[in-house]
Amino acid sequence: MVSVRKAQCKRYRTVRRDVFSVLVCILLAICWLAASIFEWRSGQRVWPWSAYALCGTSMPATLPETVRIGLYEEFPVPWRLDKLQQIDFPVTLAIAAHSRAEFEGLRKNVLQDYPQVREVYFWPLLSHEEGYYLGGWSDADGIRRIAAEAEGLPVLWDLEMPLGQAELSFEDWWQNRAFLDEWLGQRTEPVHIWRSHISMGLNPLFLRLAAMHFDPQDYPAVSLQLNLYMTGSGLATDEMAHILRCGVERYGERFAPALGVLNDGEGPEHIFVPTDTLRRNLELARKAGVAEVWLFGVNGLNEEYLSALRETLPLESLSAE
């Protein structure tokens, strides 16, 4: 009888320990989820350690012979595109369009009128009702339509939250997460994914679960354009250098940081990257071994920005095209 009671007590303690362990795990998971959601929505780092603590310590063995320049143009009207004439080196241009037909018409005109443009990427946009951006929470039918229209084209995939939507659809998220995983895995033409939330690191579990990050290491055709838009003096020099080096260590040439919005005078000063800040970040990108950088707004091109590019990076020449 005593031995039976001892066995029962032992089983009870084991069950109690297991239940406690499960409850602790559930509590930790809830805390992690809450902290991740807060960081995702606010941009403020919750955890006391950096998401880049375990990378960025190496030095590049060699630096790229040249650095490619990419430009975004969300509003490709002629008077904005005309600023391309100032450029004396080849660039890649991402043009926003709501359909393949619209994009192909724009691409034809750009390649005909601007020899500076080496390649044109399709930057597809949804309707405002569908979410505008191509993030995992936008309209699932719209995402599938755009993916079909992007067949055979190099694409800039703007992985942002739906624009102006107060309520999010978990059904859209569930469908998009599975669809984008399969679609990106089958792609052979380049897909440059633009995403933000730099404080969360390069390959955060939460963003993967939220369908807001698809890691280039898992998808051979994918490159990461990390939102490193800077205003004012930007991030501290050491922090910026560390993030850039982490990106090159993990993705190599498929890491293409987006370094800011060029000042075209059509908005408040605080949204634009100052020339001095851009120059510093270009120098850091070069030292980190970055092979490609992107900038927003063809309309903001001017001699100061172009001088910063020429003086900090080894650029290809148009005569070599």
Side-chain angles (χ1 to χ4, degrees):
M1 180 65 71
V2 174
S3 60
V4 171
R5 287 179 179 175
K6 286 183 177 179
Q8 289 176 339
C9 290
K10 185 177 180 180
R11 284 197 299 271
Y12 173 74
R13 287 194 298 268
T14 300
V15 170
R16 186 173 60 179
R17 184 184 64 233
D18 292 345
V19 170
F20 177 77
S21 298
V22 170
L23 290 175
V24 169
C25 290
I26 292 173
L27 179 61
L28 290 173
I30 292 172
C31 291
W32 170 80
L33 183 61
S36 296
I37 291 173
F38 176 82
E39 185 173 354
W40 177 41
R41 304 305 289 167
S42 70
Q44 299 178 35
R45 183 69 177 167
V46 175
W47 308 111
W49 58 85
S50 168
Y52 303 89
L54 301 179
C55 62
T57 57
S58 70
M59 296 294 292
T62 59
L63 296 176
E65 290 186 8
T66 58
V67 176
R68 299 184 297 276
I69 305 299
L71 297 169
Y72 310 106
E73 185 47 62
E74 190 171 0
F75 311 103
V77 293
W79 59 271
R80 293 177 69 93
L81 293 172
D82 277 347
K83 294 291 187 73
L84 291 166
Q85 296 182 27
Q86 305 172 73
I87 299 175
D88 58 1
F89 49 85
V91 298
T92 303
L93 181 66
I95 292 182
H98 289 278
S99 69
R100 184 187 183 108
E102 180 187 0
F103 166 74
E104 289 181 336
L106 289 165
R107 179 178 63 175
K108 179 181 178 181
N109 291 335
V110 165
L111 293 176
Q112 176 179 297
D113 296 339
Y114 304 104
Q116 297 89 342
V117 178
R118 171 180 54 192
E119 189 174 16
V120 184
Y121 273 56
F122 180 26
W123 176 5
L125 300 173
L126 299 170
S127 68
H128 282 275
E129 293 74 21
E130 293 171 321
Y132 194 73
Y133 298 119
L134 302 172
W137 296 83
S138 294
D139 182 78
D141 291 336
I143 294 289
R144 289 175 181 268
R145 183 187 73 250
I146 290 295
E149 293 198 355
E151 183 66 29
L153 296 174
V155 174
L156 170 66
W157 198 265
D158 200 349
L159 204 61
E160 297 185 65
M161 294 298 290
L163 186 65
Q165 292 190 10
E167 296 184 5
L168 300 177
S169 168
F170 283 91
E171 182 179 357
D172 285 330
W173 162 76
W174 184 257
Q175 293 183 40
N176 288 334
R177 187 168 177 269
F179 172 75
L180 289 173
D181 173 64
E182 181 179 2
W183 181 69
L184 291 170
Q186 295 174 351
R187 284 279 299 186
T188 54
E189 291 295 322
V191 181
H192 280 222
I193 288 182
W194 190 100
R195 78 151 175 90
S196 51
H197 313 295
I198 58 172
S199 68
M200 303 185 83
L202 292 174
N203 186 31
L205 173 61
F206 177 81
L207 291 186
R208 296 203 310 270
L209 294 174
M212 296 300 290
H213 174 71
F214 294 88
D215 197 67
Q217 289 194 350
D218 299 325
Y219 307 94
V222 168
S223 296
L224 175 63
Q225 293 191 7
L226 186 63
N227 173 10
L228 288 169
Y229 283 10
M230 297 293 144
T231 59
S233 59
L235 294 176
T237 298
D238 289 347
E239 183 180 5
M240 184 68 171
H242 192 74
I243 293 172
L244 291 168
R245 186 58 195 153
C246 284
V248 175
E249 282 180 351
R250 183 171 179 85
Y251 304 123
E253 292 190 355
R254 290 192 287 150
F255 176 67
L259 296 182
V261 181
L262 303 181
N263 189 348
D264 62 359
E266 296 189 6
E269 287 288 325
H270 67 81
I271 69 171
F272 301 116
V273 57
T275 306
D276 290 343
T277 301
L278 177 61
R279 181 183 294 273
R280 183 207 65 171
N281 291 341
L282 291 170
E283 291 172 348
L284 296 176
R286 177 57 177 164
K287 292 177 182 177
V290 170
E292 184 171 3
V293 299
W294 281 71
L295 301 166
F296 182 92
V298 169
N299 196 48
L301 288 170
N302 59 39
E303 188 54 38
E304 288 187 0
Y305 284 132
L306 292 174
S307 294
L309 288 166
R310 296 188 194 103
E311 293 167 10
T312 57
L313 302 177
L315 305 174
E316 299 176 45
S317 63
L318 286 176
S319 59
E321 289 288 291

